[in-house]
Coordinates of all heavy atoms in Angstrom, one line a residue:
M130 N -10.4 23.6 -22.1 CA -9.7 22.5 -21.2 C -11.0 21.8 -20.4 O -11.7 22.4 -19.7 CB -8.7 22.9 -20.4 CG -8.2 22.0 -19.6 SD -6.8 22.5 -18.5 CE -5.7 23.1 -19.6
S131 N -11.0 20.5 -20.5 CA -12.1 19.7 -19.9 C -11.7 19.6 -18.4 O -10.7 19.7 -18.0 CB -12.3 18.4 -20.5 OG -11.3 17.5 -20.2
E132 N -12.8 19.3 -17.6 CA -12.5 19.1 -16.2 C -11.6 17.9 -16.0 O -10.6 18.0 -15.0 CB -13.9 18.7 -15.5 CG -13.7 18.5 -13.9 CD -13.5 19.8 -13.2 OE1 -13.7 20.9 -13.8 OE2 -12.9 19.6 -12.2
K133 N -11.7 16.8 -16.8 CA -10.7 15.7 -16.5 C -9.4 16.2 -16.9 O -8.4 15.9 -16.1 CB -11.1 14.6 -17.6 CG -10.3 13.4 -17.5 CD -10.6 12.4 -18.5 CE -11.6 11.4 -18.0 NZ -12.0 10.3 -18.9
Q134 N -9.1 17.0 -17.9 CA -7.7 17.4 -18.3 C -7.2 18.3 -17.2 O -6.1 18.2 -16.8 CB -7.8 18.1 -19.6 CG -8.1 17.3 -20.8 CD -8.1 18.1 -22.1 OE1 -8.8 19.1 -22.0 NE2 -7.7 17.5 -23.2
S135 N -8.0 19.1 -16.7 CA -7.5 20.1 -15.7 C -7.1 19.5 -14.5 O -6.2 19.9 -13.8 CB -8.5 21.3 -15.4 OG -9.7 20.7 -14.9
S136 N -7.6 18.4 -14.0 CA -7.5 17.6 -12.8 C -6.2 16.9 -13.0 O -5.4 16.7 -12.1 CB -8.6 16.6 -12.4 OG -8.8 15.7 -13.3
V137 N -5.8 16.4 -14.3 CA -4.5 15.8 -14.5 C -3.3 16.8 -14.3 O -2.4 16.6 -13.9 CB -4.5 15.1 -15.8 CG1 -3.1 14.5 -16.2 CG2 -5.5 13.9 -15.7
N138 N -3.7 18.0 -15.1 CA -2.6 19.1 -15.0 C -2.3 19.6 -13.7 O -1.1 20.1 -13.4 CB -3.0 20.1 -16.0 CG -3.0 19.6 -17.5 OD1 -2.2 18.7 -17.7 ND2 -3.8 20.2 -18.3
R139 N -3.3 19.8 -12.8 CA -3.1 20.3 -11.5 C -2.2 19.4 -10.6 O -2.4 18.3 -10.6 CB -4.4 20.4 -10.9 CG -4.5 21.3 -9.6 CD -5.8 21.4 -9.0 NE -6.9 21.5 -9.9 CZ -7.9 20.8 -10.0 NH1 -8.1 19.8 -9.3 NH2 -8.9 21.1 -10.8
G140 N -1.1 19.9 -10.1 CA -0.1 19.2 -9.4 C 0.9 18.4 -10.1 O 1.5 17.5 -9.6
T141 N 0.9 18.5 -11.5 CA 1.8 17.7 -12.3 C 3.2 18.1 -12.0 O 3.5 19.3 -12.1 CB 1.5 17.9 -13.8 OG1 0.2 17.5 -14.0 CG2 2.4 17.0 -14.6
V142 N 4.1 17.2 -11.6 CA 5.5 17.4 -11.2 C 6.3 17.2 -12.6 O 7.3 17.8 -12.9 CB 5.8 16.5 -10.0 CG1 7.4 16.6 -9.8 CG2 5.2 16.6 -9.0
L143 N 5.9 16.0 -13.4 CA 6.6 15.8 -14.6 C 5.8 15.1 -15.5 O 4.9 14.2 -15.2 CB 7.7 14.8 -14.2 CG 8.6 14.2 -15.3 CD1 9.7 15.2 -15.8 CD2 9.3 13.0 -14.7
T144 N 5.8 15.4 -16.7 CA 5.2 14.6 -17.8 C 6.3 13.9 -18.7 O 7.2 14.6 -19.1 CB 4.4 15.6 -18.8 OG1 3.4 16.3 -18.0 CG2 3.6 14.8 -19.9
Y145 N 6.3 12.7 -18.8 CA 7.2 11.9 -19.3 C 6.5 11.1 -20.6 O 5.6 10.6 -20.6 CB 7.6 10.7 -18.3 CG 8.8 9.9 -18.8 CD1 10.1 10.1 -18.5 CD2 8.5 8.7 -19.5 CE1 11.1 9.3 -18.8 CE2 9.6 7.8 -19.7 CZ 10.8 8.2 -19.7 OH 11.9 7.3 -19.8
E146 N 7.4 11.2 -21.7 CA 7.0 10.7 -23.0 C 7.8 9.3 -23.2 O 8.9 9.4 -23.2 CB 7.2 11.6 -24.2 CG 6.6 12.9 -24.1 CD 5.1 12.9 -24.5 OE1 4.6 11.9 -25.3 OE2 4.2 13.7 -24.0
V147 N 7.0 8.3 -23.3 CA 7.5 6.9 -23.4 C 8.0 6.9 -25.0 O 7.2 7.2 -25.9 CB 6.5 5.8 -23.1 CG1 7.2 4.4 -23.4 CG2 6.1 5.9 -21.8
D148 N 9.3 6.4 -25.3 CA 9.6 6.2 -26.6 C 9.3 4.9 -27.1 O 8.8 4.0 -26.4 CB 11.1 6.5 -26.7 CG 12.1 5.5 -26.1 OD1 11.7 4.3 -26.1 OD2 13.1 6.0 -25.6
G149 N 9.5 4.6 -28.4 CA 9.0 3.4 -29.0 C 9.7 2.1 -28.6 O 9.1 1.1 -28.6
S150 N 10.9 2.1 -27.9 CA 11.6 1.1 -27.4 C 11.4 0.7 -25.9 O 11.8 -0.2 -25.5 CB 13.0 1.3 -27.7 OG 13.5 2.2 -26.8
E151 N 10.6 1.6 -25.3 CA 10.3 1.5 -23.8 C 8.9 1.1 -23.5 O 7.9 1.4 -24.2 CB 10.6 2.8 -23.3 CG 10.6 3.0 -21.8 CD 10.9 4.3 -21.3 OE1 10.6 5.5 -22.0 OE2 11.7 4.5 -20.3
R152 N 8.8 0.2 -22.6 CA 7.3 -0.3 -22.2 C 6.8 0.7 -21.2 O 7.5 1.5 -20.5 CB 7.4 -1.7 -21.6 CG 7.9 -2.7 -22.7 CD 8.1 -4.1 -22.2 NE 8.3 -4.2 -20.7 CZ 8.1 -5.4 -20.1 NH1 7.6 -6.4 -20.6 NH2 8.3 -5.4 -18.8
L153 N 5.5 0.8 -21.2 CA 4.9 1.8 -20.2 C 5.4 1.6 -18.8 O 5.7 2.5 -18.2 CB 3.3 1.7 -20.2 CG 2.6 2.3 -21.4 CD1 1.2 1.9 -21.4 CD2 3.0 3.8 -21.5
S154 N 5.4 0.5 -18.3 CA 5.8 0.2 -17.0 C 7.4 0.6 -16.7 O 7.6 1.2 -15.7 CB 5.7 -1.3 -16.7 OG 6.7 -2.2 -17.5
E155 N 8.2 0.6 -17.8 CA 9.5 1.1 -17.5 C 9.6 2.6 -17.6 O 10.4 3.2 -16.8 CB 10.4 0.6 -18.9 CG 10.6 -0.9 -18.8 CD 11.2 -1.3 -20.2 OE1 11.1 -0.8 -21.1 OE2 11.7 -2.4 -20.2
G156 N 8.6 3.1 -18.4 CA 8.5 4.6 -18.4 C 8.0 5.1 -17.0 O 8.5 6.1 -16.5
V157 N 7.1 4.4 -16.3 CA 6.7 4.9 -15.0 C 7.8 4.8 -14.1 O 8.1 5.8 -13.2 CB 5.5 3.8 -14.6 CG1 5.1 4.1 -13.1 CG2 4.2 4.1 -15.3
V158 N 8.7 3.9 -14.1 CA 9.7 3.7 -13.2 C 10.8 4.8 -13.5 O 11.1 5.5 -12.6 CB 10.4 2.3 -13.2 CG1 11.7 2.3 -12.3 CG2 9.5 1.2 -12.7
A159 N 11.0 5.1 -14.7 CA 12.0 6.1 -15.1 C 11.5 7.5 -14.7 O 12.2 8.3 -14.1 CB 12.2 6.0 -16.6
A160 N 10.2 7.7 -14.9 CA 9.7 9.0 -14.5 C 9.8 9.3 -13.0 O 10.1 10.3 -12.7 CB 8.2 9.2 -15.1
V161 N 9.3 8.3 -12.3 CA 9.4 8.5 -10.8 C 10.7 8.5 -10.3 O 11.0 9.3 -9.4 CB 8.4 7.4 -10.1 CG1 8.5 7.5 -8.6 CG2 7.0 7.4 -10.5
S162 N 11.6 7.8 -10.8 CA 13.0 7.9 -10.4 C 13.6 9.3 -10.7 O 14.3 9.9 -9.8 CB 13.8 6.8 -11.3 OG 15.2 7.1 -11.1
T163 N 13.2 9.8 -11.8 CA 13.7 11.2 -12.1 C 13.1 12.2 -11.2 O 13.9 13.1 -10.6 CB 13.3 11.6 -13.5 OG1 13.8 10.8 -14.5 CG2 13.6 13.0 -13.9
V164 N 11.8 12.2 -10.8 CA 11.1 13.1 -9.9 C 11.7 12.9 -8.5 O 11.8 14.0 -7.9 CB 9.7 12.9 -10.0 CG1 8.9 13.8 -8.8 CG2 9.1 13.5 -11.4
S165 N 11.9 11.8 -8.1 CA 12.2 11.6 -6.6 C 13.7 11.5 -6.4 O 14.1 11.5 -5.4 CB 11.7 10.3 -6.2 OG 12.3 9.1 -7.0
D166 N 14.5 11.5 -7.6 CA 16.0 11.7 -7.6 C 16.5 10.4 -6.8 O 17.2 10.4 -5.8 CB 16.5 12.8 -6.9 CG 18.1 12.9 -7.1 OD1 18.5 12.4 -8.2 OD2 18.6 13.6 -6.4
T167 N 15.9 9.2 -7.2 CA 16.0 8.0 -6.6 C 16.4 6.8 -7.5 O 15.8 6.8 -8.7 CB 14.8 7.4 -5.7 OG1 14.3 8.4 -4.9 CG2 15.1 6.1 -5.0
D168 N 17.4 6.2 -7.2 CA 17.9 5.1 -8.2 C 16.9 4.0 -8.2 O 16.1 3.7 -7.3 CB 19.1 4.4 -7.7 CG 19.6 3.4 -8.6 OD1 18.9 2.5 -9.0 OD2 20.9 3.4 -8.8
P169 N 16.4 3.5 -9.5 CA 15.3 2.7 -9.6 C 15.4 1.4 -8.8 O 14.5 0.7 -8.2 CB 15.2 2.3 -11.0 CG 15.8 3.5 -11.7 CD 16.8 4.0 -10.8
A170 N 16.7 1.0 -8.5 CA 17.0 -0.2 -7.7 C 16.6 0.0 -6.3 O 16.5 -1.1 -5.5 CB 18.5 -0.6 -7.9
E171 N 16.6 1.3 -5.8 CA 16.2 1.6 -4.4 C 14.8 1.8 -4.2 O 14.2 1.8 -3.1 CB 17.0 2.9 -3.9 CG 18.5 2.6 -4.0 CD 19.3 3.9 -3.6 OE1 18.7 4.9 -3.2 OE2 20.5 3.8 -3.9
M172 N 13.9 1.7 -5.2 CA 12.6 1.9 -5.2 C 11.8 0.5 -4.9 O 12.4 -0.5 -5.3 CB 12.0 2.5 -6.5 CG 12.6 3.9 -6.8 SD 12.4 4.6 -8.3 CE 10.6 4.4 -8.5
D173 N 10.7 0.6 -4.3 CA 9.8 -0.6 -4.3 C 9.5 -1.0 -5.6 O 9.2 -0.2 -6.6 CB 8.5 -0.3 -3.5 CG 8.9 -0.1 -2.0 OD1 9.8 -0.5 -1.5 OD2 7.9 0.7 -1.4
P174 N 9.4 -2.3 -5.9 CA 9.0 -2.8 -7.3 C 7.7 -2.4 -7.6 O 6.7 -2.3 -6.9 CB 9.1 -4.3 -7.1 CG 9.8 -4.6 -6.0 CD 9.6 -3.4 -5.0
L175 N 7.6 -1.9 -8.9 CA 6.2 -1.6 -9.4 C 5.3 -2.6 -9.3 O 4.0 -2.2 -9.0 CB 6.4 -1.0 -11.0 CG 5.1 -0.5 -11.6 CD1 4.5 0.7 -11.0 CD2 5.4 -0.3 -13.1
A176 N 5.6 -3.8 -9.3 CA 4.7 -5.0 -9.3 C 3.9 -5.0 -7.9 O 2.9 -5.6 -7.8 CB 5.3 -6.2 -9.5
E177 N 4.5 -4.3 -6.9 CA 3.8 -4.4 -5.6 C 2.7 -3.4 -5.6 O 1.7 -3.3 -4.7 CB 4.8 -4.0 -4.5 CG 5.8 -5.1 -4.1 CD 6.8 -4.6 -3.1 OE1 6.6 -3.6 -2.4 OE2 7.7 -5.4 -2.8
T178 N 2.5 -2.5 -6.7 CA 1.5 -1.5 -6.7 C 0.6 -2.0 -7.9 O -0.6 -1.8 -7.8 CB 2.0 -0.1 -7.2 OG1 2.9 0.3 -6.0 CG2 1.0 0.9 -7.3
I179 N 1.1 -2.3 -9.1 CA 0.2 -2.6 -10.2 C 0.9 -3.7 -11.1 O 2.1 -3.8 -11.0 CB -0.1 -1.3 -11.1 CG1 -1.1 -1.5 -12.1 CG2 1.2 -0.9 -11.7 CD1 -1.6 -0.3 -12.7
D180 N 0.2 -4.5 -11.8 CA 0.8 -5.5 -12.6 C 1.3 -5.0 -13.8 O 0.7 -4.4 -14.7 CB -0.4 -6.4 -13.1 CG 0.1 -7.7 -13.9 OD1 1.3 -7.6 -14.5 OD2 -0.4 -8.6 -13.9
P181 N 2.8 -4.9 -13.8 CA 3.4 -4.3 -15.1 C 3.0 -4.8 -16.4 O 2.9 -4.2 -17.3 CB 4.9 -4.6 -14.7 CG 5.1 -4.8 -13.3 CD 3.7 -5.4 -13.0
D182 N 2.8 -6.1 -16.5 CA 2.4 -6.7 -17.8 C 0.9 -6.2 -18.1 O 0.7 -6.0 -19.3 CB 2.4 -8.3 -17.7 CG 3.7 -8.8 -17.6 OD1 4.7 -8.2 -18.1 OD2 4.0 -9.9 -17.0
A183 N 0.2 -6.2 -17.2 CA -1.3 -5.5 -17.4 C -1.2 -4.2 -18.0 O -1.9 -3.7 -18.9 CB -2.2 -5.7 -16.3
L184 N -0.4 -3.4 -17.3 CA -0.2 -1.9 -17.7 C 0.3 -1.9 -19.1 O -0.1 -1.1 -19.9 CB 0.7 -1.2 -16.8 CG 1.1 0.1 -16.9 CD1 -0.3 1.1 -16.9 CD2 2.1 0.7 -16.0
N185 N 1.3 -2.8 -19.5 CA 2.0 -2.6 -20.8 C 0.9 -3.1 -21.8 O 0.9 -2.6 -22.9 CB 3.1 -3.6 -20.8 CG 4.3 -3.1 -19.9 OD1 4.4 -2.0 -19.7 ND2 5.1 -4.1 -19.5
S186 N 0.1 -4.0 -21.5 CA -1.0 -4.6 -22.3 C -2.1 -3.7 -22.6 O -2.8 -3.7 -23.6 CB -1.4 -5.9 -21.9 OG -0.4 -6.8 -22.0
L187 N -2.4 -2.8 -21.6 CA -3.6 -2.0 -21.5 C -3.8 -1.1 -22.8 O -4.9 -1.0 -23.3 CB -3.6 -1.1 -20.3 CG -4.9 -0.3 -20.0 CD1 -6.1 -1.1 -19.8 CD2 -4.6 0.6 -18.8
F188 N -2.8 -0.4 -23.3 CA -2.8 0.4 -24.4 C -2.0 -0.2 -25.6 O -1.9 0.6 -26.7 CB -2.4 1.8 -24.0 CG -3.1 2.5 -23.0 CD1 -2.6 2.8 -21.8 CD2 -4.6 2.7 -23.0 CE1 -3.3 3.4 -20.8 CE2 -5.3 3.2 -22.1 CZ -4.7 3.6 -21.0
A189 N -1.5 -1.5 -25.7 CA -0.8 -2.0 -26.6 C -1.9 -2.1 -27.8 O -3.0 -2.4 -27.7 CB -0.3 -3.4 -26.3
A190 N -1.4 -2.3 -29.0 CA -2.1 -2.4 -30.2 C -2.9 -3.8 -30.0 O -2.3 -4.8 -29.5 CB -1.4 -2.4 -31.5
Q191 N -4.0 -3.9 -30.6 CA -4.7 -5.3 -30.7 C -4.0 -6.3 -31.6 O -3.1 -5.8 -32.3 CB -6.2 -5.1 -31.2 CG -6.8 -4.1 -30.3 CD -8.3 -3.8 -30.7 OE1 -9.0 -4.7 -31.0 NE2 -8.8 -2.7 -30.7
H192 N -4.4 -7.4 -31.5 CA -3.7 -8.5 -32.2 C -3.6 -8.3 -33.7 O -2.6 -8.7 -34.4 CB -4.3 -9.9 -32.0 CG -4.1 -10.3 -30.5 ND1 -3.0 -10.7 -30.1 CD2 -5.0 -10.5 -29.5 CE1 -3.0 -11.0 -28.7 NE2 -4.3 -10.9 -28.4
D193 N -4.7 -7.6 -34.2 CA -4.7 -7.3 -35.7 C -4.0 -6.0 -36.1 O -4.0 -5.5 -37.2 CB -6.1 -7.4 -36.3 CG -6.9 -6.1 -35.7 OD1 -6.4 -5.3 -34.8 OD2 -8.0 -6.0 -36.1
G194 N -3.2 -5.4 -35.0 CA -2.5 -4.1 -35.2 C -3.2 -2.9 -35.1 O -2.7 -1.7 -35.1
T195 N -4.6 -2.9 -34.9 CA -5.3 -1.7 -34.8 C -5.1 -1.1 -33.4 O -5.0 -1.9 -32.4 CB -6.8 -1.9 -35.1 OG1 -7.4 -2.8 -34.1 CG2 -7.1 -2.3 -36.4
P196 N -5.1 0.2 -33.2 CA -4.8 0.7 -31.9 C -6.0 0.5 -31.0 O -7.2 0.3 -31.4 CB -4.7 2.3 -32.2 CG -5.0 2.5 -33.5 CD -5.3 1.1 -34.3
R197 N -5.7 0.6 -29.7 CA -6.7 0.3 -28.6 C -7.4 1.7 -28.5 O -7.0 2.8 -29.0 CB -6.1 0.0 -27.2 CG -5.4 -1.3 -27.3 CD -6.2 -2.4 -26.5 NE -5.4 -3.5 -26.5 CZ -6.0 -4.7 -26.6 NH1 -7.3 -4.9 -26.7 NH2 -5.3 -5.8 -26.5
A198 N -8.5 1.9 -27.7 CA -9.3 2.9 -27.4 C -8.4 4.0 -26.7 O -7.5 3.6 -26.0 CB -10.5 2.6 -26.7
V199 N -8.9 5.2 -26.8 CA -8.1 6.2 -26.0 C -8.7 6.3 -24.6 O -9.8 5.9 -24.4 CB -8.5 7.7 -26.7 CG1 -8.1 8.8 -25.9 CG2 -8.1 7.8 -28.1
G200 N -7.7 6.4 -23.7 CA -8.0 6.3 -22.3 C -6.8 6.6 -21.5 O -5.7 7.0 -21.9
N201 N -7.0 6.5 -20.1 CA -5.9 6.6 -19.2 C -6.0 5.7 -17.9 O -7.3 5.3 -17.8 CB -5.5 8.0 -18.8 CG -6.8 8.7 -18.2 OD1 -7.4 8.1 -17.2 ND2 -7.1 9.9 -18.5
A202 N -5.1 5.5 -17.2 CA -5.1 4.7 -16.1 C -4.5 5.5 -14.9 O -3.4 6.1 -15.2 CB -4.4 3.4 -16.3
R203 N -4.9 5.4 -13.7 CA -4.5 6.2 -12.7 C -4.3 5.3 -11.5 O -5.2 4.6 -11.1 CB -5.3 7.4 -12.3 CG -4.8 8.4 -11.3 CD -5.7 9.5 -11.1 NE -5.1 10.5 -10.3 CZ -5.3 11.9 -10.4 NH1 -6.2 12.3 -11.3 NH2 -4.6 12.6 -9.6
F204 N -3.0 5.6 -10.8 CA -2.7 4.7 -9.6 C -1.6 5.5 -8.9 O -1.1 6.5 -9.4 CB -2.2 3.3 -10.0 CG -1.0 3.2 -11.1 CD1 0.3 3.1 -10.5 CD2 -1.3 3.4 -12.3 CE1 1.3 3.1 -11.4 CE2 -0.2 3.3 -13.3 CZ 1.1 3.3 -12.7
S205 N -1.4 4.9 -7.7 CA -0.3 5.5 -6.9 C 1.0 4.7 -6.9 O 0.8 3.5 -6.9 CB -0.7 5.8 -5.4 OG -1.9 6.8 -5.4
F206 N 2.1 5.4 -6.9 CA 3.4 4.6 -6.9 C 4.4 5.5 -6.3 O 4.6 6.6 -6.7 CB 3.8 4.1 -8.2 CG 5.1 3.5 -8.4 CD1 5.4 2.4 -7.7 CD2 6.0 4.0 -9.1 CE1 6.7 1.7 -7.7 CE2 7.4 3.5 -9.2 CZ 7.6 2.2 -8.5
F207 N 5.2 5.0 -5.2 CA 6.1 5.7 -4.6 C 5.9 7.1 -4.1 O 6.6 7.9 -4.4 CB 7.4 5.7 -5.5 CG 8.8 5.8 -4.8 CD1 9.2 4.7 -4.1 CD2 9.6 6.8 -5.1 CE1 10.6 4.9 -3.4 CE2 10.9 7.0 -4.4 CZ 11.2 6.0 -3.6
D208 N 4.7 7.3 -3.5 CA 4.3 8.4 -3.0 C 3.9 9.4 -4.0 O 3.8 10.7 -3.8 CB 5.3 9.1 -2.1 CG 5.3 8.2 -0.7 OD1 4.4 7.5 -0.2 OD2 6.3 8.2 -0.2
Y209 N 3.7 9.0 -5.3 CA 3.2 10.0 -6.3 C 1.9 9.4 -6.9 O 1.7 8.2 -6.9 CB 4.3 10.1 -7.3 CG 5.5 10.7 -7.0 CD1 6.5 10.2 -6.5 CD2 5.5 12.2 -7.0 CE1 7.7 10.9 -6.0 CE2 6.6 12.9 -6.4 CZ 7.6 12.2 -6.1 OH 8.7 12.9 -5.7
D210 N 1.0 10.1 -7.4 CA 0.0 9.8 -8.3 C 0.4 9.7 -9.7 O 1.1 10.7 -10.3 CB -1.3 10.7 -8.1 CG -2.0 10.6 -6.7 OD1 -1.9 9.5 -6.2 OD2 -2.5 11.5 -6.3
I211 N 0.1 8.5 -10.4 CA 0.6 8.3 -11.7 C -0.6 8.4 -12.7 O -1.7 7.6 -12.4 CB 1.3 7.0 -11.8 CG1 2.5 7.0 -10.8 CG2 2.0 6.9 -13.2 CD1 3.4 8.1 -10.8
V212 N -0.5 9.1 -13.8 CA -1.7 9.0 -14.8 C -0.9 8.5 -16.1 O 0.1 9.3 -16.6 CB -2.4 10.3 -15.0 CG1 -3.3 10.1 -16.2 CG2 -3.0 10.6 -13.8
V213 N -1.3 7.3 -16.6 CA -0.7 6.8 -17.9 C -1.7 6.9 -18.9 O -2.9 6.6 -18.7 CB -0.3 5.3 -17.7 CG1 0.3 4.7 -19.0 CG2 0.7 5.2 -16.6
S214 N -1.3 7.6 -20.0 CA -2.3 7.9 -21.1 C -2.1 6.9 -22.2 O -1.0 6.5 -22.4 CB -2.3 9.3 -21.6 OG -2.5 10.2 -20.5
S215 N -3.1 6.7 -23.1 CA -2.9 5.7 -24.2 C -2.0 6.3 -25.3 O -1.4 5.5 -26.1 CB -4.3 5.6 -24.8 OG -4.9 6.8 -25.4
D216 N -1.7 7.6 -25.3 CA -0.8 8.1 -26.2 C 0.6 8.0 -25.7 O 1.7 8.6 -26.4 CB -1.0 9.7 -26.5 CG -0.8 10.6 -25.2 OD1 -0.5 10.0 -24.1 OD2 -1.2 11.8 -25.3
G217 N 0.9 7.3 -24.5 CA 2.4 7.0 -24.2 C 2.9 8.1 -23.3 O 4.1 8.1 -22.9
R218 N 1.8 9.0 -22.7 CA 2.4 10.0 -21.8 C 2.1 9.5 -20.5 O 1.1 9.1 -20.0 CB 1.6 11.3 -22.2 CG 2.1 12.4 -21.5 CD 1.3 13.7 -22.1 NE 0.1 13.2 -22.6 CZ -1.2 13.8 -22.5 NH1 -1.2 14.8 -21.8 NH2 -2.2 13.3 -23.0
I219 N 3.1 9.8 -19.6 CA 3.1 9.5 -18.3 C 3.0 10.7 -17.4 O 4.1 11.5 -17.7 CB 4.2 8.5 -17.7 CG1 3.9 7.2 -18.4 CG2 4.1 8.3 -16.2 CD1 5.2 6.3 -18.4
S220 N 2.1 11.1 -16.6 CA 2.1 12.4 -15.7 C 2.3 11.8 -14.2 O 1.7 10.9 -13.8 CB 0.9 13.1 -15.9 OG 0.6 13.6 -17.1
V221 N 3.3 12.5 -13.6 CA 3.6 12.2 -12.3 C 3.0 13.4 -11.6 O 3.4 14.6 -11.7 CB 5.1 12.0 -12.1 CG1 5.4 11.7 -10.6 CG2 5.7 10.9 -13.0
L222 N 2.1 13.2 -10.6 CA 1.4 14.2 -9.9 C 1.8 14.2 -8.4 O 2.1 13.0 -7.8 CB -0.1 14.0 -9.9 CG -0.6 13.8 -11.4 CD1 -2.1 13.4 -11.3 CD2 -0.4 15.0 -12.1
D223 N 1.9 15.2 -7.7 CA 2.0 15.3 -6.2 C 0.9 14.5 -5.7 O -0.4 14.7 -6.1 CB 2.0 16.7 -5.7 CG 3.2 17.5 -5.8 OD1 4.3 16.8 -5.8 OD2 3.1 18.6 -6.1
S224 N 1.2 13.7 -4.7 CA 0.2 12.9 -4.0 C -0.5 13.8 -3.1 O 0.0 14.6 -2.4 CB 0.8 11.7 -3.2 OG -0.2 10.9 -2.7
V225 N -2.0 13.7 -3.0 CA -2.7 14.5 -2.2 C -3.0 13.9 -0.9 O -3.0 12.9 -0.7 CB -3.9 14.9 -2.8 CG1 -4.5 16.1 -2.2 CG2 -4.0 15.1 -4.3

């Protein structure tokens, strides 16, 4: 296990897999809603933390249909650290 992988796994509260019909931004809200046991309507909008359209586009296929590079994005939302991976996995971590 690499140092990068171990730092993501440490403190992980939930790993959420985005399905094919769900956008990454929707997955982030659903995952945090589940962990915090909070109705999404009662949460601050994700757009106050990160641009949802930019997040959705970050790992979307290129215009010619080829996949984007492998990677991840990390940010804080609703008192949790969030790691979004190019494979559609969202890790919700305890905020430090």
